[in-house]
């Protein structure tokens, strides 16, 4: 397989998704949709973040399967292995190696301020491990190893990216220019899709209520039923308003599926009720997901080909990862091996 990655002039993108369950429409809107759109303009590295996912206890066979499911979903959402480098994070030891070095540049206070650490510690009180604590340092290593300029993510990752930028600057200031300081790339619309059952919280693949999330492999009927059952706010007008998160969330989904902005949606549904609007959203979202789901099942069927793509991706990624790590080891004073 060949890939068109050799253009040195293009800026670099890196992003990742944890393989901790079937991906939702939130992953699509916050990340994957943008990943696919950026492939021609940038040199892109996209990885399945399996090292991150073991900060919460996983069943080994399930993790192995989810890792491949997640990679197949990247391709189903339009990530093209001939344009971008697709790989599994644990295939590259450099991610863990750089994390160790950056751990020594990270304050305990910085990690304890991370909202995701606080949330996850509350949700997994029985297993608040050190990995969960240094999770954002591993994420910084993922990004800095590839000298990424831009990191396309959803809103919930903004704080982690801020830490990454601080670590890059701190390291550069302490030694000399080593890392590119990356910028977050967070789209305005769709960067935070909320739960269909509780629009005050983020839609998540691990929600215990499966009606709360639209999964990218849900069938048409399931999608339509979930949207029809979505919790809405009091009132009946189809109008975007942050104090009415239920209807606003459905409007975001309709925007993602149709490309119509909020004003156009408000005009289209002026005088209509929630019932009519939900039917339209349900139809549009089902239409959006159908080709993704079909492609996902066809890619996932050929596990051998999928693994070949990931092996090839890891080999390609390791060229840059080794180069950065060598530079870092030299700067901190390790004897050349
Ligand atoms: P993760 O696996 O939780 O989510 C992956 C990506 O999907 C986005 N996302 C959403 N966007 C909008 N609405 C939602 N409801 C929603 N749910 C998820 C997330 O913002 C994210 O962009 N730590 C990261 C994975 C990671 C990473 C990296 C990302 C590891 N290393 C390096 C960027 C760069 C995470 O747990 O994402």
């Amino acid at each position: 397989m060949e890939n068109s990655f050799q253009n040195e002039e293009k800026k670099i993108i890196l992003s990742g998704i944890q393989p901790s369950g079937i991906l939702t429409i939130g992953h699509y809107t916050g990340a994957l949709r943008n990943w696919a759109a950026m492939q021609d303009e940038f040199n892109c590295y996209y990885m399945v973040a399996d090292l991150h996912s073991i900060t919460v206890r996983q069943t080994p066979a399930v993790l192995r399967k989810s890792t491949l499911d997640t990679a197949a979903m990247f391709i189903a959402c339009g990530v093209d292995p001939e344009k971008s480098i697709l790989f599994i994070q644990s295939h590259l030891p450099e991610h863990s190696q750089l994390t160790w070095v950056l751990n020594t540049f990270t304050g305990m206070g910085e990690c304890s301020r991370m909202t995701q650490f606080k949330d996850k510690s509350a949700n997994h009180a029985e297993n608040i491990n050190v990995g969960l604590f240094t999770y954002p340092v591993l994420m910084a290593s993922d990004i800095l190893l590839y000298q990424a300029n831009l990191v396309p993510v959803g809103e919930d990752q903004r704080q982690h990216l801020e830490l990454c930028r601080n670590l890059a600057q701190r390291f550069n200031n302490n030694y000399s220019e080593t890392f590119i300081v990356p910028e977050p790339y967070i789209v305005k619309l769709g960067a935070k899709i909320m739960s269909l059952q509780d629009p005050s919280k983020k839609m998540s693949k691990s929600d215990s209520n499966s009606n709360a999330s639209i999964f990218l492999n849900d069938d048409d009927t399931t999608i339509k039923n979930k949207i029809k059952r979505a919790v809405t706010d009091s009132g009946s007008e189809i109008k975007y308003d942050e104090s009415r998160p239920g209807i606003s969330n459905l409007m975001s989904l309709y925007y993602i599926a149709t490309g119509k902005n909020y004003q156009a949606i408000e005009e289209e549904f002026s005088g209509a009720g929630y019932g009519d609007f939900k039917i339209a959203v349900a139809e549009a979202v089902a239409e959006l997901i159908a080709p993704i789901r079909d492609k996902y099942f066809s890619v996932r069927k050929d596990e051998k080909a999928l693994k070949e793509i990931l092996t090839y991706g890891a080999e390609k990624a390791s060229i840059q990862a080794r180069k950065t790590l060598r530079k870092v080891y030299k700067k901190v004073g390790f004897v050349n091996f």
Side-chain angles (χ1 to χ4, degrees):
M1 189 178 68
E2 256 318 304
N3 101 7
S4 56
F5 201 73
Q6 304 306 335
N7 187 338
E8 305 260 319
E9 319 244 290
K10 291 183 181 174
K11 289 195 166 171
I12 312 274
I13 299 271
L14 176 126
S15 200
I17 296 186
Q18 292 190 69
S20 41
I22 294 291
L23 303 187
T24 71
I25 196 166
H27 297 100
Y28 177 75
T29 63
L32 287 164
R33 196 166 75 104
N34 310 312
W35 294 10
M38 296 171 111
Q39 296 176 106
D40 291 318
E41 199 183 334
F42 300 95
N43 284 338
C44 304
Y45 293 92
Y46 296 130
M47 56 161 214
V48 184
D50 57 345
L51 295 175
H52 277 100
S53 64
I54 63 163
T55 53
V56 172
R57 206 55 68 226
Q58 304 285 335
T59 306
V62 175
L63 176 59
R64 255 187 298 276
K65 177 180 174 304
S66 297
T67 300
L68 296 172
D69 291 348
T70 303
M73 200 55 97
F74 289 3
I75 299 172
C77 289
V79 173
D80 179 348
E82 299 202 357
K83 292 183 181 163
S84 300
I85 293 189
L86 245 75
F87 65 98
I88 298 175
Q89 187 186 29
S90 66
H91 284 179
L92 287 125
E94 291 82 2
H95 291 249
S96 312
Q97 292 170 306
L98 181 58
T99 300
W100 177 252
V101 176
L102 292 183
N103 271 338
T104 67
F105 279 81
T106 313
M108 298 285 285
E110 285 179 304
C111 282
S112 37
R113 277 195 292 279
M114 294 290 134
T115 317
Q116 210 168 75
F117 170 68
K118 291 191 223 164
D119 290 349
K120 285 204 179 168
S121 315
N123 293 338
H124 301 277
E126 72 301 340
N127 180 20
I128 306 177
N129 59 71
V130 178
L132 197 58
F133 189 67
T134 67
Y135 176 113
V137 185
L138 174 59
M139 185 164 154
S141 303
D142 300 335
I143 298 165
L144 301 180
L145 264 183
Y146 299 95
Q147 304 290 355
N149 303 97
L150 279 178
V151 185
V153 283
E155 187 57 50
D156 61 335
Q157 299 299 318
R158 191 185 286 280
Q159 198 186 22
H160 290 160
L161 281 176
E162 206 39 55
L163 176 70
C164 173
R165 286 169 54 80
N166 289 340
L167 291 178
Q169 279 157 349
R170 197 171 298 159
F171 193 95
N172 288 350
N173 290 341
N174 197 75
Y175 300 102
S176 56
E177 279 311 298
T178 308
F179 297 122
I180 300 276
V181 181
E183 299 284 339
Y185 180 93
I186 300 174
V187 289
K188 273 214 193 79
L189 295 178
K192 194 165 187 189
I193 295 296
M194 310 310 277
S195 152
L196 296 178
Q197 292 296 312
D198 176 1
S200 68
K201 63 178 205 194
K202 188 185 77 163
M203 183 184 284
S204 153
K205 51 190 175 258
S206 48
D207 200 307
S208 55
N209 181 350
S210 67
N211 279 327
S213 310
I214 293 173
F215 296 101
L216 294 175
N217 64 0
D218 276 345
D219 61 42
D220 282 357
T221 313
T222 308
I223 295 170
K224 290 180 188 172
N225 286 337
K226 285 179 179 177
I227 292 178
K228 283 179 197 154
R229 286 194 203 117
V231 170
T232 38
D233 330 85
S234 57
S236 60
E237 236 187 327
I238 313 303
K239 196 162 177 32
Y240 191 89
D241 176 350
E242 278 170 14
S243 69
R244 293 163 72 222
I247 196 68
S248 300
N249 195 37
L250 290 180
M251 286 177 73
S252 298
L253 290 176
Y254 195 61
Y255 155 75
I256 295 293
T258 62
K260 293 176 187 168
N261 65 25
Y262 293 148
Q263 199 192 340
I265 300 172
E266 285 168 6
E267 279 164 18
E268 182 178 349
F269 291 94
S270 100
Y274 283 169
D276 289 336
F277 183 55
K278 279 184 173 176
I279 291 172
V281 178
E283 290 291 338
V285 171
E287 229 172 88
L288 170 77
I289 302 289
I292 296 176
R293 179 182 62 231
D294 294 349
K295 176 124 193 239
Y296 168 73
F297 287 122
S298 95
V299 173
R300 190 63 182 92
K301 250 196 329 226
D302 191 349
E303 192 162 302
K304 186 165 167 281
L306 183 61
K307 285 181 170 167
E308 274 169 17
I309 289 171
L310 294 165
T311 304
Y312 174 80
E315 282 164 4
K316 280 269 197 185
S318 79
I319 299 169
Q320 182 60 47
R322 273 199 234 129
K323 192 168 157 195
T324 305
L325 189 73
R326 251 200 318 272
K327 198 160 143 189
V328 168
Y329 272 16
K330 192 168 168 204
K331 298 234 172 157
V332 298
F334 293 159
V335 173
N336 191 18
F337 180 64

